[in-house]
Amino acid sequence: MSNRGRKVVIAGAGPGGLAAAILLAKSGVDVTVVEKRAVVGGRTSTIEQQGYKFDTGPTFFLYPRVLREIFAAAGRDLDTEVPMTRLDPQYKLVFGAGGELEATPNVEKMEQAVAAISPADAMRLHAFFSDNRRKLERFIPFLESPFESWRDLAKVRMLKMLPLLRPWRCLDSDLRSYFQDERIRLGFSFQSKYLGMSPFTCPSLFSILSFLEYEHGVFHPTGGCGAVSKAMARVAEDLGVKFLMEEAVEQLIFEGRRAVGLRTAKGSLAADAIVVNADFAEAMKRMVPNHLRRRWTDERIARKRFSCSTFMLYLGLEGRYDNIAHHTIYLARDYQQNLRDIERDHRLSEDPSFYVQNASVTDETLAPKGHSTLYMLLPVTHEHKNVNWAKEEERFRALALRQLEKIGITDVEQRIRFEKRLTPVSWGNDFGLYKGATFSMAHNLKQMLHLRPHNRFEDVDGVYLVGGGTHPGSGLPVIFESARITSRLLLEDMRVEPQWEPAGSLTGAPAYEAVS
């Protein structure tokens, strides 16, 4: 029997919404995606100006296997649709406290690189990889399953994992079991910033983030991560998904406590179910009346802990920096103080850590011939009364450009032919992020698993969530996984059989060969 009579509307064409659209359409559901912007991808979109192309947000493409399986469900091959290069070195770390580290998936070379900084720590590298391989294998089923109540935590299999996960430790404390040198620990914990958190407060579970990079690779999709979003939209359209672009959702329409459609400035759409792929906190405040929300009221949302934000520079340059790595991370001399400035004191550091993508050394499609792109990201506090960006933006931009000299990039100002900036205020105004928090709600122990907003939204009927604000959390691989979890729950409620294979293991061998 056809399921085309079943109508689902997805609010937002970010990566989670696009993945859900593919899975639901493949299962025979009538899907419409409503997107306020002119391009798909949300923060995983492309900025295209004057022949330059930049990823808006994510630039590290990690663990393609989840998306590869979603493409396969639609009868497509991800590797054909979006050619990718596995990077080696994955990135270069420059320590403000002294020293550099080229991170490579070649374990022997990585041992040598670590030994150049701390010989004793190099001897513990195998133990770190081995322990985290086991941790990931044991935890993956929980990343692939919905968590809808505390009872899910009481399962025997979860309790048996506590000695392995060590939830009583923060990430930095856990890494002390392996590495003595603070710089090496930072090299395996800065990834907590993918969640918008500090390694000194982030749960120890997330040591699996750096392990994933070494075990399964860091990739660059040709054209950038935004090219992945465009490919997903193509696949969705081929499956019959309709896209309504430049049409912002104003509110959901309810009959009692059940959502029956949504309203935009151009009209209304009826639906049997609605998938919200937007910043959770901001979407709830805008789309769902407060009196209908029993658990996630405006008042409770305001009490939650939110991630940091970012200050962004997108620079189109005349000339190239071929001696600079594809990805470079500078870690401030006083990294802990930099994090306190961001998370506790809500002020701008004078020696901020930063990340630079110099993707033109890998991908010549991103800039006109003889030109290149630089993408610069500086973690900063989310919107707070302590920082007035109308006054601080120019000063902080100048500081950011000076910081580039610390990784060997000079003479930038005179080469700039195109420039775009984003501040926490921009993230809020342009992308609808609550407090401009680019990684949504923080991933502390009080805001994980069943304590995050549920994939089958618990406050009203007929509403489902995908994206970084729900389980499993932030980061492209887990956002794609959130789409699988949510799509299964939605189809289960509609009594429709999913037309794709069960989630595969995240521990399978990588499919790409590394290239220099």
Side-chain angles (χ1 to χ4, degrees), residues 297-322:
T297 62
D298 289 351
E299 295 74 20
R300 183 170 183 186
I301 288 172
R303 293 195 299 270
K304 288 298 179 180
R305 184 177 173 189
F306 286 83
S307 78
C308 67
S309 187
T310 58
F311 177 83
M312 310 292 303
L313 286 176
Y314 309 90
L315 305 176
L317 304 178
E318 184 174 353
R320 295 167 59 101
Y321 290 97
D322 289 334

Side-chain angles (χ1 to χ4, degrees), residues 128-139:
F128 172 79
F129 288 145
S130 178
D131 290 351
N132 277 274
R133 185 175 294 110
R134 189 160 58 100
K135 181 188 288 189
L136 180 63
E137 288 173 353
R138 297 282 294 277
F139 194 70

Side-chain angles (χ1 to χ4, degrees), residues 163-436:
L164 181 65
L165 298 180
R166 296 185 285 272
W168 51 87
R169 286 187 185 178
C170 73
L171 178 53
D172 182 72
S173 294
D174 193 59
L175 289 175
R176 287 176 185 270
S177 303
Y178 306 95
F179 309 122
Q180 300 172 11
D181 193 292
E182 181 183 23
R183 292 168 295 177
I184 303 304
R185 292 200 303 276
L186 287 178
F188 286 91
S189 65
F190 78 86
Q191 294 84 356
S192 62
K193 276 298 168 197
Y194 300 164
L195 308 174
M197 294 189 69
S198 156
F200 306 103
T201 57
C202 183
S204 64
L205 160 67
F206 292 108
S207 61
I208 62 176
L209 291 176
S210 58
F211 168 75
L212 265 175
E213 293 176 346
Y214 290 94
E215 185 85 344
H216 297 287
V218 174
F219 297 88
H220 174 75
T222 300
C225 289
V228 176
S229 298
K230 292 177 183 177
M232 295 175 73
R234 289 198 305 269
V235 172
E237 285 187 311
D238 287 348
L239 291 170
V241 175
K242 296 179 287 293
F243 284 83
L244 303 180
M245 305 301 293
E246 298 183 272
E247 194 162 346
V249 175
E250 295 180 342
Q251 64 182 115
L252 305 190
I253 302 170
F254 290 89
E255 290 182 359
R257 302 191 64 82
R258 171 166 287 278
V260 295
L262 56 75
R263 183 173 292 111
T264 74
K266 297 180 181 179
S268 60
L269 292 171
D272 297 298
I274 295 171
V275 177
V276 176
N277 177 216
D279 181 76
F280 171 75
E282 196 63 34
M284 288 303 108
K285 293 180 66 178
R286 187 176 75 255
M287 297 181 189
V288 182
N290 199 33
H291 72 273
L292 290 180
R293 289 181 266 130
R294 295 168 178 167
R295 180 180 176 191
W296 294 99
T297 62
D298 289 351
E299 295 74 20
R300 183 170 183 186
I301 288 172
R303 293 195 299 270
K304 288 298 179 180
R305 184 177 173 189
F306 286 83
S307 78
C308 67
S309 187
T310 58
F311 177 83
M312 310 292 303
L313 286 176
Y314 309 90
L315 305 176
L317 304 178
E318 184 174 353
R320 295 167 59 101
Y321 290 97
D322 289 334
N323 61 326
I324 302 299
H326 185 111
H327 297 301
T328 304
I329 297 101
Y330 169 80
L331 299 163
R333 174 180 291 274
D334 192 343
Y335 190 67
Q336 292 196 46
Q337 182 58 53
N338 181 210
L339 293 175
R340 285 192 292 270
D341 289 343
I342 294 169
E343 297 183 341
R344 186 192 70 187
D345 299 335
H346 301 288
R347 65 184 184 185
L348 299 179
S349 299
E350 291 307 311
D351 177 30
S353 300
F354 63 89
Y355 155 72
V356 168
Q357 182 203 41
N358 180 36
S360 294
V361 297
T362 302
D363 185 351
E364 295 188 349
T365 71
L366 302 178
K369 186 175 179 60
H371 290 235
S372 59
T373 60
L374 277 188
Y375 165 117
M376 187 177 190
L377 177 156
L378 297 89
V380 294
T381 176
H382 55 234
E383 286 192 75
H384 192 276
K385 63 181 181 181
N386 288 357
V387 180
N388 182 338
W389 281 102
K391 294 181 178 180
E392 292 285 359
E393 181 178 338
E394 290 297 333
R395 183 191 71 83
F396 201 68
R397 171 199 180 269
L399 173 61
L401 295 183
R402 290 197 300 273
Q403 288 290 91
L404 286 173
E405 296 177 5
K406 294 181 177 180
I407 64 170
I409 295 179
T410 59
D411 302 323
V412 170
E413 188 85 59
Q414 64 187 27
R415 295 191 183 195
I416 296 173
R417 300 297 177 264
F418 168 80
E419 177 176 347
K420 181 178 176 63
R421 309 175 205 168
L422 289 178
T423 69
V425 176
S426 311
W427 284 120
N429 292 341
D430 299 347
F431 289 86
L433 305 187
Y434 184 73
K435 294 188 176 183

Side-chain angles (χ1 to χ4, degrees), residues 2-4 6 8 10 17-33 73-74 235-243 487 490-491 496-497 499-500:
S2 172
N3 298 310
R4 284 296 171 189
R6 305 282 192 171
V8 174
I10 299 176
L18 293 171
I22 291 170
L23 295 170
L24 294 172
K26 176 62 179 176
S27 298
V29 175
D30 186 315
V31 180
T32 300
V33 178
V235 172
E237 285 187 311
D238 287 348
L239 291 170
V241 175
K242 296 179 287 293
F243 284 83
S487 297
L490 188 156
L491 293 173
V496 173
E497 187 68 26
Q499 297 301 306
W500 71 86

